Amino acid sequence: MKTIFISTGDVSGDLQGALLVTALKQLAASLGIDLKIVALGGSKMAAAGAEIIADTTFISSIGVWEARAYLRPSIQARNLAKQYLKATPPDALILIDYVDPNISIGTYAKSLFPNLQIDFYIAPQDWVWPRQHKRAKLIVSFINEIFSVFPIEAQYFTEQGAKATFVGHPLVDRVAALSSREIARDKLGIIDGEVAIALIPASRQQELTYILPDIFAAARQIQDRLPDVRFWIPLARPDFVAEIESQIQAYQINATLVTENADLVLSAADLAITKCGTVSLELALLNVPQVVVYKVSKVTAWIAKHVVKFSIPFMSPPNLVEMKPIVPELLQDEATPDRIASESLELILNPERRDRMLADYTQMRSALGDPGVCDRVAAEILAKL
């Protein structure tokens, strides 16, 4: 039997991990390899066939201040991973995103087992922020290979001394497997003439506090302008149900929370108002116009600006791919209900603005590689075993 340990965190990491687990399991079976996969991850990876030793989808946050509440469970998950690795050395260690914990896990594993194959898949976006060169060098010191999902990412880590291979972005495969727009709208019961707007406010607890109120307040303004609008909210985490339902009532918006087959919402939408993250790239690949919102606490924003000197050209993945403003990003003080509503209505009511975004999506898509991403990564990983 061969064993692979995969370490990842948050909801999007669980999704990416699940796609890779599925590819690994299928390829191993076809090659007659008895493969066991153990992981830090979540329910999607478990459903794909991984043995989860700690659920890391509930302990993710953005920002120094917000991370305080998750410090203990994050350390506990990290320690569980280290204990497992020490007691049961795997044949390979795959790190997916989840940067700081994965750096800790990776350096620890390399110190114990210098010959262990350690690969980084979906590496940190240090190429966006030049101040992170030191962290990139640290990653290069313990990994064997980086499977890069952006061409510029492979170039950057190669320049830092890593073996980095551009494999393409796995979301290319994921969106190809989702329902078509017509089927999705039929399944959701969206009628002709109805404007369907996806509201995607949160996959992290902090986003319920800092992003959801502004998105819902903007939705109320849009509803007042467009009588035929209906909002659809794909559920990211089951523990968010009560809070989201109560806020739907509080803002009195015509919204439906979709808890089963939530991906239908992404395929069916005429427009999305979304928090920043992997989902914005999914929407772009599905040709759904979008407005991206990013907001953290005032304390974190102050630290980022005055202490860390955080500065990057763009925040959302669609814009980072092409390094151009494909989708509107409303960050921190710009993320007001008025601005969100205004940008959204512009995309709904101005065909020229909408068509320009869709054309940019087409260009962006060409930079993300060919289909079969997870299959290619799985083949590389299994070949090294």
Side-chain angles (χ1 to χ4, degrees), residues 144-204:
N144 295 85
E145 185 171 1
I146 292 177
F147 298 117
S148 299
V149 297
F150 300 112
I152 192 173
E153 179 181 281
Q155 178 184 341
Y156 171 80
F157 279 103
T158 297
E159 291 170 352
Q160 301 305 311
K163 179 184 178 184
T165 305
F166 172 60
V167 293
H169 205 291
L171 290 184
V172 171
D173 294 323
R174 170 170 159 74
V175 299
L178 297 180
S179 298
S180 69
R181 172 181 167 83
E182 293 73 21
I183 291 174
R185 291 175 76 88
D186 182 63
K187 288 183 177 180
L188 291 174
I190 298 173
I191 61 175
D192 290 341
E194 183 177 275
V195 178
I197 298 180
L199 303 181
I200 309 172
S203 62
R204 297 178 174 90

